[in-house]
């Protein structure tokens, strides 16, 4: 059976959940990946709240495989500043004291695991933040000890979270992404080591964040075959000719045509989805293909419809027999 194609609701957070359900069903999606806090209030402790969500999805024959707590996860390890206030709920931001924000964010990420349990799913996607992202470019020269401390900080903060996830039977899937503790293959290995290869820690694979960096995104799937907990399908374009805004983004907004790279709707960028599907088949990934749509230059409804159709076309089941199996008989 081919994989379900789901719509990540983070980019649809301005709409009520029922409206998103209506649209997703009409666009041809099989389910949703619900964003926290836009469409799931994981701070809510009343089980009836989660039953209402499941009933609503059921009314539109939509499946649920994962929820996403990127915003809260970002604040767990970050160097907190005023930017975080705009993305965090008041109960996490509080008085804005950095360490208090990080501790409240950690609790909120744990609350997401309880919400996932109540919703009958086993995967929470999210970010981790990073205390060392600002040290990406090594000048002035960065002592290795500073980098090691950044990974140690991540381990100290996330291992207690992951222990609680494991106790509940929930997995945390980090979206490997610039500004996180893991943003390419090498840093992903270091992140795994920092949490002692915790069984509850893995990855939400999104090729778009790797492709424009020059990272082998298909190889990433094989490298972490047992840690691919969830998959985002998102395309990105990068230029073959010099641009006035380079790979670091030049402090201009997403979608600016002067940029070296920009996210694009599925099939309109440079990601090789055929190879991704073949790699996912090879490692035995049977989970959903979740479309996180972020093309700043395209109408999102047109993009959502087109992306759903294309991803369903890209996906295929692996063969049950070798094509030449009968030759020797």
């Amino acid at each position: 059976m081919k994989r379900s194609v789901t719509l990540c609701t983070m980019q649809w957070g301005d709409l009520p959940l029922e409206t998103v359900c209506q649209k997703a069903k009409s666009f041809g999606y099989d389910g949703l990946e619900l964003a926290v806090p836009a469409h799931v209030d994981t701070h809510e402790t009343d089980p009836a709240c989660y039953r209402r969500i499941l009933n609503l999805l059921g009314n539109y024959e939509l499946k649920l495989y994962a929820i996403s707590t990127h915003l809260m996860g970002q604040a767990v390890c970050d160097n907190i500043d005023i930017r975080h206030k705009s993305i965090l709920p008041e109960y996490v931001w509080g008085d804005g004291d950095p360490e208090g924000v990080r501790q409240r964010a950690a609790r909120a990420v744990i609350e997401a695991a309880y919400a996932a349990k109540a919703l009958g799913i086993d995967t929470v996607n999210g970010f981790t933040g990073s205390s060392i992202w600002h040290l990406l470019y090594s000048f002035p020269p960065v002592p290795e000890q500073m980098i090691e401390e950044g990974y140690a900080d991540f381990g100290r903060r996330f291992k207690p979270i992951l222990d609680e996830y494991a106790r509940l039977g929930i997995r945390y899937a980090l979206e490997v992404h610039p500004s996180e503790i893991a943003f390419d293959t090498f840093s992903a290995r270091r992140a795994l080591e920092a949490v002692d290869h915790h069984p509850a820690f893995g990855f939400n694979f999104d090729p778009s964040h790797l492709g424009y960096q020059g990272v082998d995104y298909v190889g990433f799937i094989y490298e972490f075959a047992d840690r691919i907990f969830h998959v985002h399908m998102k395309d990105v374009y990068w230029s073959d000719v010099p641009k006035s805004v380079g790979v670091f983004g030049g402090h201009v907004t997403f979608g600016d045509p002067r940029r070296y790279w920009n996210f694009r709707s599925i099939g309109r960028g440079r990601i090789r989805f055929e190879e991704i599907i073949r790699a996912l088949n090879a490692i035995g990934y049977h989970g959903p293909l979740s479309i996180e749509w972020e093309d700043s230059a395209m109408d999102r409804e047109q993009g959502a419809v087109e992306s759903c159709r294309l991803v369903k076309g890209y996906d295929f089941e692996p063969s049950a027999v070798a094509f030449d199996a009968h030759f020797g008989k």
Side-chain angles (χ1 to χ4, degrees):
M1 184 176 180
K2 290 173 70 173
R3 303 170 185 90
S4 293
V5 178
T6 60
L7 180 65
C8 177
T9 70
M10 282 187 286
Q11 289 71 38
W12 305 77
D14 58 313
L15 301 176
L17 179 55
E18 183 157 15
T19 301
V20 176
C21 288
Q22 292 168 347
K23 289 182 179 294
K25 185 64 178 177
S26 69
F27 295 162
Y29 285 87
D30 304 308
L32 297 177
E33 174 192 346
L34 295 179
V36 177
H39 295 125
V40 183
D41 180 5
T42 54
H43 200 48
E44 176 62 67
T45 57
D46 184 358
C49 172
Y50 301 109
R51 287 196 297 270
R52 285 193 293 271
I53 291 173
L54 292 173
N55 289 339
L56 181 58
L57 268 65
N59 290 341
Y60 291 93
E61 299 179 307
L62 295 169
K63 299 173 184 176
L64 181 66
Y65 297 93
I67 59 175
S68 293
T69 186
H70 290 66
L71 304 184
M72 267 70 93
Q74 185 67 37
V76 175
C77 294
D78 255 10
N79 298 317
I80 304 298
D81 57 46
I82 195 62
R83 296 172 302 154
H84 295 81
K85 184 175 183 179
S86 66
I87 68 170
L88 295 172
E90 181 57 37
Y91 65 84
V92 175
W93 177 256
D95 60 4
D97 172 70
E99 185 56 29
V101 172
R102 285 188 283 265
Q103 292 182 14
R104 289 188 291 274
R107 287 197 294 272
V109 172
I110 290 173
E111 287 173 353
Y114 281 88
K117 190 77 171 179
L119 290 165
I121 58 176
D122 66 0
T123 304
V124 175
N125 301 320
F127 287 155
T128 60
S130 170
S131 64
I132 54 174
W133 172 251
H134 66 291
L135 302 176
L136 177 67
Y137 195 85
S138 295
F139 190 85
V142 179
E144 177 60 22
Q145 183 179 351
M146 293 181 72
I147 303 303
E148 290 176 356
E149 176 52 34
Y151 282 98
D153 177 73
F154 160 66
R156 285 192 298 269
R157 293 182 186 279
F158 255 86
K159 279 192 278 190
I161 295 172
L162 296 171
D163 286 345
E164 190 67 5
Y165 269 62
R167 190 182 70 79
L168 293 169
I170 309 296
R171 309 178 299 178
Y172 192 78
L174 165 62
E175 185 169 339
V176 177
H177 181 294
S179 80
E180 308 312 314
I181 197 66
F183 52 89
D184 59 13
T185 303
F186 187 77
S187 57
R189 289 194 206 108
R190 291 193 72 166
L192 269 171
E193 292 167 0
V195 292
D196 300 324
H197 292 81
H198 200 293
F201 182 74
F203 302 115
N204 174 42
F205 172 74
D206 185 330
S208 69
H209 302 299
L210 302 174
Y212 74 84
Q213 294 187 69
V215 176
D216 180 2
Y217 51 85
V218 177
F220 186 98
I221 296 172
Y222 291 110
E223 174 86 15
F224 301 108
D226 62 340
R227 299 284 175 161
I228 305 296
F229 293 167
H230 192 262
V231 170
H232 272 180
M233 299 292 268
K234 189 161 87 239
D235 214 339
V236 66
Y237 175 82
W238 58 92
S239 178
D240 285 328
V241 298
K243 305 284 278 186
S244 59
V245 177
V247 69
F248 296 120
H251 298 303
V252 299
T253 58
F254 289 118
D256 191 304
R258 296 170 294 180
R259 289 169 58 102
Y260 165 73
W261 67 272
N262 269 307
F263 296 125
R264 286 198 180 175
S265 196
I266 296 286
R268 295 178 180 271
R270 302 187 63 169
I271 295 298
R272 296 173 295 131
F273 291 102
E274 167 89 9
E275 298 307 314
I276 288 172
I277 295 300
R278 290 181 182 275
L280 293 175
N281 284 346
I283 69 167
Y285 175 81
H286 302 296
L289 304 174
S290 184
I291 293 172
E292 185 188 20
W293 193 85
E294 293 185 350
D295 191 332
S296 301
M298 185 178 184
D299 175 77
R300 67 178 175 179
E301 295 204 6
Q302 178 183 342
V305 172
E306 183 178 272
S307 295
C308 183
R309 174 177 56 81
L310 287 172
V311 169
K312 288 189 174 184
Y314 288 132
D315 193 25
F316 59 87
E317 297 181 48
S319 175
V321 297
F323 75 90
D324 59 351
H326 68 288
F327 289 175
K329 296 181 180 179

